[in-house]
Amino acid sequence: MASLCLSPLVRSPRGQWRETLPTCKLERYYLDDTDMTLHYSISGLEFFCSNSKTAVYKGSLKLPDQEDASVFEHEADMYEIHLRDLQDRVIPHCYGLFQYNAEDGKVSSFLVLGDCGSPIDDPRNFTNLYKSKVIDAVYFIHFAGFTHGDLSYHNILNKDGCPFIIDFETAKPHVCGVKEKLFIGEERKELGCTEMMRCAALVRAWANSYVKLEGIYTFLRVDLRRGNMDYLLSHLRHCNSDPTVYRPYVEQLVEQVEARRERYRNIPLEERLIVPE
Ligand SMILES: [Zn+2]
């Protein structure tokens, strides 16, 4: 129901209109079935002119304070409609959106959610299991057809070892391009979804991008491949005019990285493929 508030009280300077204007909230009269919750107010009213049946006043119209309310309405829609099935699993239980219409026409909105703990902090403290749970929580939201839009530590709460995602102010419809699961500790790969890549980086899901040959050099993990030995040794010329002396050590490092790569590559396809619920 749209409403209008008038202030201050105005009297006609010439006394034709002695009655005061109402200060209570006026409800909008609709000519059709349209009904919107918008609250207008007009301040600084002055008498403008009149005839025998009507009077005209002039004042400043304050447009509806929609932003606060609509932001919450969008968020409430996310909890109560679009992601309803994820309540109590990866998003908090939502008890509803409550609104208070103040005298000045301002709308205060309160979205009431179940307690889901505190925001997560340092991902170095996360176990691989916890990292997987965060990734899965975001997958669920994506496969329900939405991106979060503002994924950060502040918007991931931890309750008894379970992550809950909050703050869907900027959530948008989304068709997720992720086809295969991300396994914690595997080498960084393209997932086909920007927000999932962000999520993986946030929880430090990938293997470290750098690998140290202790005391000598730090290689990029992606460079450590069989068949790439000459290129790898060329980085060590500054340590020794004959970098081939390091060959056995570099080969050992390459074998470690390749073995790990192989382990992830050999995960059966049925475990890798994502089947949205
Ligand atoms: Zn996605």
Side-chain angles (χ1 to χ4, degrees):
M1 177 67 71
S3 66
L4 171 68
C5 285
L6 303 176
S7 65
L9 307 182
V10 175
R11 286 177 189 279
S12 154
R14 291 192 293 277
Q16 298 99 319
W17 292 86
R18 304 301 303 177
E19 59 270 71
T20 56
L21 290 171
T23 55
C24 62
K25 197 169 281 177
L26 308 179
E27 288 185 359
R28 192 183 196 283
Y29 175 74
Y30 289 98
L31 299 172
D32 53 25
D33 292 337
T34 313
D35 190 0
M36 296 168 74
T37 308
L38 300 173
H39 303 283
Y40 297 86
S41 63
I42 300 176
S43 58
L45 278 167
E46 291 170 16
F47 177 81
F48 191 65
C49 61
S50 68
N51 60 30
S52 60
K53 290 187 178 170
T54 58
V56 179
Y57 298 87
K58 193 176 160 186
S60 304
L61 173 68
K62 183 172 180 293
L63 292 172
D65 191 3
Q66 289 184 64
E67 202 172 339
D68 176 48
S70 62
V71 161
F72 273 115
E73 280 163 17
H74 172 62
E75 193 159 6
D77 279 352
M78 292 303 300
Y79 281 104
E80 297 202 298
I81 299 172
H82 305 301
L83 304 179
R84 186 183 181 84
D85 292 344
L86 301 183
Q87 279 191 40
D88 298 311
R89 292 168 62 202
V90 300
I91 65 171
H93 190 89
C94 179
Y95 293 94
L97 176 66
F98 298 85
Q99 293 186 324
Y100 168 71
N101 300 330
E103 281 293 317
D104 60 1
K106 201 171 171 65
V107 182
S108 301
S109 301
F110 301 88
L111 186 64
V112 181
L113 302 174
D115 174 26
C116 283
S118 318
I120 58 173
D121 46 26
D122 192 343
R124 282 172 297 190
N125 300 331
F126 297 168
T127 61
N128 283 354
L129 176 64
Y130 193 79
K131 291 179 181 185
S132 288
K133 285 181 178 179
V134 173
I135 302 253
D136 284 349
V138 180
Y139 274 151
F140 281 132
I141 291 162
H142 280 220
F143 292 128
F146 288 86
T147 61
H148 181 276
D150 184 27
L151 207 57
S152 72
Y153 297 138
H154 308 292
N155 296 330
I156 304 173
L157 304 181
N158 175 43
K159 188 178 187 191
D160 303 328
C162 290
F164 286 86
I165 315 293
I166 59 164
D167 193 358
F168 292 94
E169 213 175 282
T170 51
K172 286 198 179 90
H174 173 65
V175 177
C176 195
V178 175
K179 298 283 184 287
E180 285 191 22
K181 269 186 194 168
L182 176 175
F183 289 89
I184 306 301
E186 73 177 313
E187 198 166 310
R188 190 179 184 283
K189 62 181 182 185
E190 191 48 56
L191 290 171
C193 171
T194 308
E195 188 165 82
M196 286 313 308
M197 290 297 283
R198 174 167 174 71
C199 181
L202 201 67
V203 299
R204 300 192 181 201
W206 308 120
N208 199 324
S209 305
Y210 299 97
V211 181
K212 268 186 190 174
L213 182 62
E214 212 52 63
I216 300 178
Y217 191 74
T218 300
F219 291 101
L220 273 174
R221 182 177 291 271
V222 289
D223 291 340
L224 291 165
R225 294 177 188 278
R226 295 181 194 119
N228 209 16
M229 195 52 62
D230 291 344
Y231 174 71
L232 293 170
L233 291 177
S234 71
H235 288 296
L236 306 180
R237 283 207 191 96
H238 69 284
C239 308
N240 193 308
S241 55
D242 179 15
T244 58
V245 297
Y246 299 116
R247 180 181 284 270
Y249 308 107
V250 177
E251 279 178 344
Q252 196 181 16
L253 205 62
V254 166
E255 285 310 310
Q256 285 168 6
V257 171
E258 287 280 31
R260 186 171 170 148
R261 212 170 263 147
E262 196 79 5
R263 212 165 58 235
Y264 284 103
R265 206 181 294 139
N266 287 340
I267 294 173
L269 196 61
E270 59 267 28
E271 287 179 39
R272 298 195 73 95
L273 284 178
I274 289 184
V275 184
E277 286 184 15

